[in-house]
Amino acid sequence: MTGLRGSRRGVRRSAGAGRGTAGLAALLLAASLGASGCGGGGEPGDGTFTAGHPEPDHLVPANTTSSYSFDVLSGLFDNLVGLTREGKGVNLAAASVTSDDQKVWTIKIRPGQRFHNGEPVTAGSFADGWNNAAYGPNAYGANAYFSHIEGYAAMNPRDGRAKPRADRLSGVQVVDEGTLRVTLTDPFNQFPLLLSYPAFAPMPKAGLGDLESFEEHPIGNGPYMMSGDWERNRQIKLVAYPGYTGPRKPKNKGVTWKSYSSAETAYTDLRAGRLDVLQTIPSAKVPEARRLLGDRFLPREMGTVDYLGFPLFDRRFASPDLRKAISMSIDRQGINKAVYNGDYIPADSLLPAIITGHRPNACGDLCTYDPVRAKELYAKSGGFKGTLELYFSNAQPTYYQWMQIVANSLRQNLGIEDIEFRQVPASDYFAMLNKRTEKGPYRQNWEADYPSAQNYLENMWSSGSNRMGWKSAEFDGLIARANRSDDQQEALRLYNQAEDVALREMPMIPLWTWAGQGGRSERVGNVTITAYATGLLANEVTVG
Amino acid sequence: MWRYALRRLLQAVPVFAGTTLLIYAMVFALPGDPIQALAGDKPVPESVLRTLRERYNLDDPLLVQYGKYMWGLLRGDLGENYTGQKVAEMLGGRWTVTARLAVTAWMFELTIGVLLGVWAGLRRGRMADTLVLGGTTLLIAVPVFVLGYTAQILFGLRWEVFPTAGTDGGWPASYVLPGMVLGSLGLSYVARLTRTSLAENLRADYVRTANAKGLSRMRVVGRHALRNSLIPVVTYLGVDFGSLMGGAIVTEGIFNLPGIGQQVFQSIQLKEGPVVVGAVTVLVLIFLLVNLLVDLLYGLLDPRIRYG
């Protein structure tokens, strides 16, 4: 009885306690309401906008190959050559880039340009930056991109333990303040496009003198300059640089790149109006975003292609007919619908559509789903014996999804029953491919460093660099002739001939080109996201 | 008591050495080549590979690597990650974020949890009790990320009460929502522990004595029953503070808070030993310290407990 009465009395007490809690909650709520009012994106009316992406790794241009760093760097720096939204080369810091023999290039710098700290941009700014980038012991991320230039080998001895014989690229000569002469190891007519790659940015003397503070506060020559230092894992604020004289004059006052560790969260912020531009909406949210964002949903083509490579060093894959049979038994459009909402583009060539030199249907029947013909070719090749192992990394869940469909196709259409999956940790995947320890077809993709057919073909199929163990003197010869040609049209024709050789032998089959989906807020307009390293054309965006 | 505290602190030294070695060994045993992982599919020249492997002692055996790491640590150098960032700097800014988040979650656990527990404990078997028991079971059963995204969509998107993500709103605005999500599991345990413990003590002899003396209900429950009942709760809260610091990975991800959990997760994927060990080392220290404090608190709650 006492217990009962006691607890009834307790009701009042704890009702009091309840009020206390309500009071506390109200207090917290009020405090947060007050603070969250100014917590959102860029402050309205100041002419700047926000864009979301994962955290960059470096802001010294040549020390990174990450697209998240490029987002920021392409605003901070004007390379000699830039890209139009169609992926054509256009002079930015250069007045001209010319060569008679495609081997020795003369570059005139557009006069009157200054870095954000007032230092003039000269031929030396480029030479210094490149020398710093190409020097092996500096261990810069984009070091390998300088290998076309004479003198690179002396700075990066094959035996990594040896001390380099030189610390400057002998092929880069400063003729005078406004002229740079670059000598390449081999004739290379795509060199101007290579110069658009972020690693070829100029470096001011102040930056090379103190690289540590340069990393926190890069000083560039581009349309935007840093406002404050890099706030790691939070944001990087760029504001329009008043002294900019180049062709990319900003139509806004600035852009703040906010760092997100989760794509879902970035998307939620876009929906909440706390973020103005998001270049990549997570694939699971794409159908919803398409519905919710309306004309603020921004789909785009991309330059990333997925391929399925064959280890030709394993004799079971030696027959081109077997490889062609596998290609023809894969239903590219079906997989695209099942895994990628039908947004990806089934491959009809080794090159994506955004690259000059892409020929629709270059692959022809070989990339067309045709189970009957596939079975015939498979029989002709003598078939496949043993276990077929399929290799892919765990970097994205969709890889496993489409590999399963591929496996089913091979079972049904070719009668290969014994199939196993080899899902490898992403950090191990390329090491495995480099050591050639895979025993079956493997997933491979490529994204253009600079928009040229050469960038795909030479990196992925030439005997010196391909992973398949494929050797073709014919292919290599055509690429070399194309690189040497002083006529761009002739070069393109030769690249396409080389592509035909690779298609004929099919050491690696193309699967599909990726598609990207972005979105914008109501505050911003004229948002263009290109398929190239430059990504978002930040200077074109209008605010308000 | 001071002798006891000192002895506990000295005991922490071997615990500390053991855990760091263990963590170092675990990261070392992870598959994958960190330098290759860094480069992705882009070519890396031999000269660059060699320089990086030497700079980060990657070709040394485990014990030599660990020795070099500890030698640096003794001189106050936490080392660098594989992109050349100083670990101390990387973690420095992040600790404040995680600490704020953990303290918010912890305060939430403590206040709401104890209050709910008392409420239910005083009304055992009745409506309030059933409500608390049912509600907390539900909270325990729902995965944190479901709770997180739901809270984000409701409070952030629909009602716009709190920022959806990030730390721009400062404390407490940006931390209330993630703190509540992170603390929800602990809250359930605290409420249940308090409830059971209080309900038991209410039937103890000393409570009956206090009641018989004619003390007010407030005094009986507050000073006598509750004080005793809080010993298991305080133990739990102490242990839980450590796990809140470390267990914030999911919450920090959902709410885009640049804290330690996020960093540890990324660093494990990149096989960045020095970062993982650095972060976890500090976690171990906090864990040891908080638990020492908890043990010392026992004496205040129950004077019969003596330290030998």
Side-chain angles (χ1 to χ4, degrees), chain A residues 16-30:
Chain A
R19 266 203 307 280
T21 345
L24 181 75
L27 199 79
L28 280 173
L29 209 73

Side-chain angles (χ1 to χ4, degrees), chain A residues 481-533:
Chain A
R481 272 174 61 200
N483 284 347
R484 208 169 295 142
S485 169
D486 57 1
D487 174 9
Q488 291 294 335
Q489 287 310 314
E490 169 71 2
L492 216 50
R493 204 178 55 77
L494 290 164
Y495 287 134
N496 281 335
Q497 277 185 26
E499 184 189 4
D500 287 336
V501 175
L503 281 167
R504 204 172 64 217
E505 301 230 348
M506 277 289 185
M508 179 160 70
I509 60 182
L511 296 170
W512 39 73
T513 305
W514 294 20
Q517 292 90 7
R520 65 170 177 88
S521 76
E522 278 154 3
R523 286 184 61 230
V524 291
N526 202 21
V527 178
T528 308
I529 304 166
T530 71
Y532 316 106

Side-chain angles (χ1 to χ4, degrees), chain A residues 4 6-14 17 21 24 28-29 31-33 35-36 39-40 57-58 65 136-141 143-145 152 155-161 197 232-235 258-262 264-265 268-269 271-272 274 425 427-428 430-431 434 444-447 449 467, chain B residues 31-33 36-48 50-52 54-55 83-86 89-90 94 111-112 115 118-119 122-123 126 149 152-153 156-157 160-169 171-173 176 211 215-218 252-258 262-263 266 269:
Chain A
L4 243 176
S7 40
R8 203 180 305 129
R9 268 199 301 190
V11 177
R12 282 200 309 276
R13 297 277 177 233
S14 66
T21 345
L24 181 75
L28 280 173
L29 209 73
S32 58
L33 270 172
S36 68
D57 59 347
H58 286 289
T65 55
N138 286 349
Y140 268 25
N143 169 297
Y145 288 85
Y152 173 84
M155 293 168 81
N156 294 279
R158 208 164 269 276
D159 173 10
R161 266 158 298 191
Y197 194 70
R232 297 237 182 209
N233 299 300
R234 276 198 71 221
Q235 60 182 18
K258 296 174 108 184
S259 289
Y260 286 89
S261 61
S262 140
E264 258 86 27
T265 308
T268 309
D269 264 6
R271 274 186 61 193
R274 292 195 168 85
S427 56
D428 253 358
F430 294 114
N434 286 341
Q444 163 89 61
N445 75 343
W446 188 257
E447 183 184 7
D449 299 316
R467 292 222 165 93
Chain B
D33 176 349
Q36 192 62 47
L38 211 64
D41 198 15
K42 301 297 177 189
V44 188
E46 189 61 30
S47 53
V48 171
R50 177 63 53 185
T51 311
L52 289 177
E54 249 165 45
R55 189 181 297 168
T83 62
Q85 252 185 292
K86 295 250 178 303
E89 278 171 28
M90 287 173 74
R94 286 173 173 271
T111 49
I112 313 286
L115 283 172
V118 171
W119 192 40
L122 288 176
R123 282 169 193 67
R126 292 170 52 190
Y149 282 122
Q152 201 173 43
I153 287 171
L157 262 184
E160 301 193 9
V161 184
F162 298 107
T164 37
T167 52
D168 289 347
W171 194 88
V176 174
N211 270 329
L215 292 179
S216 74
R217 180 71 182 167
M218 173 93 166
E252 284 177 3
I254 295 171
F255 291 96
N256 198 39
L257 301 176
Q262 225 184 53
Q263 182 66 62
Q266 283 169 12
Q269 285 180 318

Side-chain angles (χ1 to χ4, degrees), chain A residues 279-347:
Chain A
Q279 298 177 97
T280 306
I281 290 171
S283 53
K285 301 283 185 188
V286 166
E288 179 196 279
R290 200 190 302 274
R291 203 176 63 238
L292 285 176
L293 295 176
D295 68 336
R296 295 187 286 116
F297 179 72
L298 307 169
R300 68 175 184 281
E301 287 186 74
M302 289 179 75
T304 307
V305 186
D306 276 339
Y307 301 94
L308 192 66
F310 296 97
L312 299 197
F313 44 86
D314 182 333
R315 290 192 42 216
R316 296 177 301 168
F317 296 97
S319 158
D321 285 332
L322 172 71
R323 302 183 312 245
K324 287 176 190 168
I326 290 178
S327 176
M328 294 179 82
S329 65
I330 295 174
D331 180 4
R332 292 171 174 76
Q333 186 58 47
I335 292 177
N336 178 29
K337 285 208 181 100
V339 182
Y340 296 110
N341 309 311
D343 289 331
Y344 279 26
I345 303 152

Side-chain angles (χ1 to χ4, degrees), chain A residues 78-162:
Chain A
D78 262 8
N79 277 21
L80 291 165
V81 175
L83 297 172
T84 65
R85 63 180 66 194
E86 291 82 26
K88 302 266 184 290
V90 56
N91 291 334
L92 287 182
S96 68
V97 180
T98 52
S99 172
D100 297 330
D101 57 358
Q102 317 301 319
K103 192 171 181 209
V104 180
W105 291 80
T106 307
I107 300 162
K108 296 273 182 202
I109 317 280
R110 193 165 46 74
Q113 299 175 74
R114 290 188 178 275
F115 285 102
H116 302 149
N117 64 349
E119 209 179 303
V121 179
T122 66
S125 318
F126 288 93
D128 293 347
W130 300 359
N131 286 328
N132 181 52
Y135 187 58
N138 286 349
Y140 268 25
N143 169 297
Y145 288 85
F146 294 85
S147 62
H148 288 278
I149 300 173
E150 216 173 69
Y152 173 84
M155 293 168 81
N156 294 279
R158 208 164 269 276
D159 173 10
R161 266 158 298 191

